[in-house]
Amino acid sequence: MKEQIKDKQLGIWFIYILGGGLMIPIISYYLSIPDILPMQAYIQVYLSGPILVVLGLLLFFFYRKKPVGLFFFIMGIWWILNIVYELLTK
């Protein structure tokens, strides 16, 4: 029982760290900060939105961390829509 709780907590922390890492390219884009991560443009365009949506859904439904899960989900959807908007207007 304790091992199961410990594994769940470890999974939650892994998702938090991964989600925070995926938020860095988005934040640096809007603050006009130079690339912090290697391959940041690739992460920013192709990975941040979809993975944030998946992480948000995992946190919301599987781990029952509703506020953070909702935040990651909304940020992922918003970022995907933002990229589609930029592609259509350029």
Side-chain angles (χ1 to χ4, degrees):
M1 181 75 171
K2 278 189 170 186
E3 292 175 11
Q4 192 176 27
I5 293 172
K6 191 174 183 178
D7 290 342
K8 196 170 187 176
Q9 289 291 345
L10 186 62
I12 291 171
W13 278 105
F14 176 73
I15 291 174
Y16 285 166
I17 292 169
L18 183 61
L22 290 170
M23 291 293 293
I24 290 172
I26 297 171
I27 293 169
S28 67
Y29 172 77
Y30 283 106
L31 297 178
S32 299
I33 299 172
D35 289 354
I36 298 170
L37 303 172
M39 306 274 300
Q40 183 168 324
Y42 178 79
I43 294 169
Q44 186 178 24
V45 173
Y46 297 111
L47 298 178
S48 286
I51 293 178
L52 281 172
V53 169
V54 170
L55 292 178
L57 291 174
L58 276 174
L59 284 171
F60 193 85
F61 291 111
F62 184 70
Y63 290 109
R64 304 284 188 230
K65 301 292 182 183
K66 294 184 190 270
V68 179
L70 193 60
F71 175 74
F72 281 169
F73 180 77
I74 290 172
M75 288 301 293
I77 293 293
W78 174 75
W79 187 245
I80 291 170
L81 292 175
N82 189 21
I83 289 178
V84 169
Y85 174 76
E86 284 198 26
L87 287 174
L88 292 175
T89 58
K90 289 187 177 183

